[in-house]
Amino acid sequence: MEGKGTPVGRRVVLGMLGLGALGVAVGSRAQDGLDSALSQVTSKDPTGLSGLLPGGGGFRFYNITGSVPHRDATNYRLTVSGLVDRQAGYTLADLLAMPQTHMVRDVQCVTGWRVDDTAFEGVRLSHLLDLAGVRDGAGAIRFTCFDGAYTESLTLEQARRDDVLVALKMQGKPVTTAHGGPVRLYVAPMYFYKSAKWLSGIEVTKTVQPGYWEHYGYDVDAWVGRSNGRNDAPTA
């Protein structure tokens, strides 16, 4: 028998209406602040309707800590460590000065929603691995995030794909805080939980260490349409 669904609270509805009007009014000038406000609404919205608001772009905003962390050009740093010849720490300016790759793919969430034709731009993860010099015996990458809680992983072979980015821009603009900026991972052919937000650490390891959601039953290898019991169309 079909369930009745989850009721939508009055505050959520009013917040959605107000933020929708704000999204039309301010355009791109306040996108980071708008995304942060939307993230507070969508985290309390069980219906998914808030993903249709102007400014939301069809995305749902998730976090696992109950708050949205913040870093900017003044205090952001990405570390590369583990089984490498040259450990490194990169500022946002360092990453922006590296060769940039642009790609447009559909984003598919394992919960079912999809956003078509999403543009990402950033540094190929393989480029950072080449700069570090991966040692013999390495087989995987572990990613950590500055929310202090989220983790993810890829095999070394997956990480070296041309469609895996350390993303600095999304839809032609800097990745906003709510979308995981200033730097997030983007793994184009996999479900979006693999594209870790608020990326702060890249650690080269011997073997795959399951990420946050994999401990709750999600597949470690999360190819869109070929994992997690789903048959979604591929994103690449």
Side-chain angles (χ1 to χ4, degrees):
M1 185 174 70
E2 184 176 351
K4 294 181 179 179
T6 306
V8 182
R10 181 172 179 271
R11 289 184 179 179
V12 169
V13 173
L14 292 176
M16 289 167 62
L17 292 173
L19 286 169
L22 179 62
V24 172
V26 302
S28 62
R29 290 180 294 114
Q31 190 65 54
D32 199 1
L34 177 58
D35 281 353
S36 294
L38 280 169
S39 71
Q40 298 303 313
V41 172
T42 57
S43 66
K44 299 177 178 65
D45 168 28
T47 69
L49 294 175
S50 53
L52 303 176
L53 288 171
F59 283 86
R60 298 295 309 277
F61 294 91
Y62 301 102
N63 67 73
I64 62 172
T65 63
S67 62
V68 177
H70 182 79
R71 297 284 188 278
D72 57 29
T74 66
N75 60 4
Y76 178 78
R77 185 165 290 266
L78 175 65
T79 62
V80 181
S81 63
L83 298 175
V84 296
D85 295 328
R86 297 170 292 278
Q87 298 195 23
Y90 298 110
T91 65
L92 186 58
D94 293 333
L95 295 170
L96 287 167
M98 294 180 184
Q100 304 291 300
T101 295
H102 176 87
M103 66 179 68
V104 179
R105 299 285 191 276
D106 298 344
V107 167
Q108 177 69 55
C109 181
V110 74
T111 61
W113 57 264
R114 188 181 185 105
V115 180
D116 296 336
D117 300 327
T118 304
F120 284 90
E121 186 174 330
V123 181
R124 283 192 174 124
L125 179 56
S126 60
H127 179 70
L128 294 177
L129 295 176
D130 289 342
L131 290 177
V134 176
R135 293 180 180 174
D136 292 341
I141 312 294
R142 179 175 182 264
F143 304 98
T144 52
C145 306
F146 61 78
D147 67 348
Y150 201 82
T151 60
E152 253 309 332
S153 65
L154 293 170
T155 67
L156 186 58
E157 181 180 6
Q158 292 165 354
R160 286 195 175 279
R161 289 177 58 104
D162 287 344
D163 52 5
V164 177
L165 298 182
V166 172
L168 311 174
K169 290 184 179 181
M170 182 176 171
Q171 300 294 50
K173 302 181 178 105
V175 180
T176 64
T177 298
H179 276 298
V183 179
R184 71 171 299 155
L185 188 66
Y186 177 51
V187 185
M190 293 190 177
Y191 285 103
F192 209 37
Y193 66 87
K194 301 297 287 190
S195 297
K197 297 196 290 188
W198 308 306
L199 183 65
S200 61
I202 298 169
E203 181 187 3
V204 181
T205 61
K206 286 185 178 181
T207 58
V208 167
Q209 301 178 32
Y212 178 86
W213 285 114
E214 281 103 54
H215 289 292
Y216 291 91
Y218 285 23
D219 286 353
V220 174
D221 291 323
W223 306 106
V224 172
R226 294 188 283 125
S227 65
N228 293 286
R230 298 188 60 88
N231 61 354
D232 305 286
T235 57

